[in-house]
Structure formats: C-alpha cells, structure tokens
Amino acid sequence: MQSLKTFSLWLIVALTLSTAAGCSSWVYRINIPQGNFLEQSDVEKLRVSMTREQVIYVLGKPIAEDAFDKNTWRYVYSFNKGRKNEQQKSLVIKFENERLVSLAGDYDQPENFNTPLEQ
C-alpha cells in the first residue's frame, strides 16, 4: 500500500512537471542583438573611392564577407525582441580596385556619397 502511495506521488509530480514544461511560452527570453549595429549617421560618413581600411575605420569589420567575391562586404544586424518582434537591417558594400564604388541595403545613401574624400 505504501509503494502505491509513493508511485502515485511521483506520477503526480511527473505530470505536473511535464505540464509546466509545455508552458514554455511564459518563460522570459532575453533580447539578443547579433551582427553589426550601424546607425544612419555611420553610413553618412561613407564616400566613393574610400579604401577598405577607411571603411573599416568608419563601420568596423563586416560580420559577413562573401567567400566567392572578396569585393562584397555585408553588414548584417538582427535583434530579436520577444518572440515575434524581430528587427533586421543590412548594408551591402562593393569595392572595385580596392576602392568603394557602391552601397545598398536598408540605409539611405549619403547625400555626399559621390563626392570623394580629398586624397
């Protein structure tokens, strides 16, 4: 009789824990930023004909370099806030002859982008 009570108690505990595990959507999840966080003010500093070193100085090292095209850099940023609210931004920079020639992505092109820096 005592073993039946012990078994019943363990069964209730196991069922309670498995039910609580199914309620994982109630568990708090931390916000996780990943990648290169860039602001529009950072992108505004870019100019055509900048060297790779100058771009790294302004934006930092890119999170993803294209393995097949060394002239394309991708700055990718994602931020998961909660479960359904994800924010993503990207900036793609292209070089020709070791000089910046174009940029595209979720940021506005700088007004003075086509004006090269003085050499």
Side-chain angles (χ1 to χ4, degrees):
M1 195 67 171
Q2 183 67 17
S3 66
L4 183 59
K5 285 183 180 180
T6 304
F7 176 74
S8 297
L9 179 64
W10 282 111
L11 182 63
I12 290 170
V13 169
L15 288 174
T16 303
L17 289 176
S18 65
T19 302
C23 300
S24 65
S25 65
W26 298 345
V27 176
Y28 174 75
R29 296 198 179 197
I30 62 172
N31 300 328
I32 303 172
Q34 294 181 340
N36 297 99
F37 177 74
L38 300 175
E39 293 183 359
Q40 183 64 39
S41 61
D42 298 326
V43 178
E44 291 291 329
K45 297 173 187 171
L46 296 176
R47 300 288 183 268
V48 72
S49 296
M50 287 178 86
T51 65
R52 293 175 189 260
E53 291 79 21
Q54 289 172 321
V55 173
I56 290 173
Y57 181 77
V58 172
L59 300 180
K61 197 94 165 110
I63 194 75
E65 291 184 41
D66 194 329
F68 300 105
D69 183 9
K70 296 291 184 190
N71 293 320
T72 302
W73 287 1
R74 298 180 193 287
Y75 290 85
V76 181
Y77 175 75
S78 75
F79 182 68
N80 291 332
K81 188 173 182 180
R83 291 181 183 275
K84 298 177 183 173
N85 193 7
E86 182 176 10
Q87 174 187 0
Q88 286 189 330
K89 284 192 160 196
S90 68
L91 178 69
V92 179
I93 293 180
K94 295 197 182 249
F95 293 93
E96 282 182 14
N97 300 323
E98 301 297 316
R99 298 289 182 166
L100 176 63
V101 292
S102 70
L103 58 94
D106 297 322
Y107 297 90
D108 296 330
Q109 182 168 326
E111 232 177 79
N112 298 330
F113 179 74
N114 291 319
T115 306
L117 294 173
E118 292 183 30
Q119 302 281 331

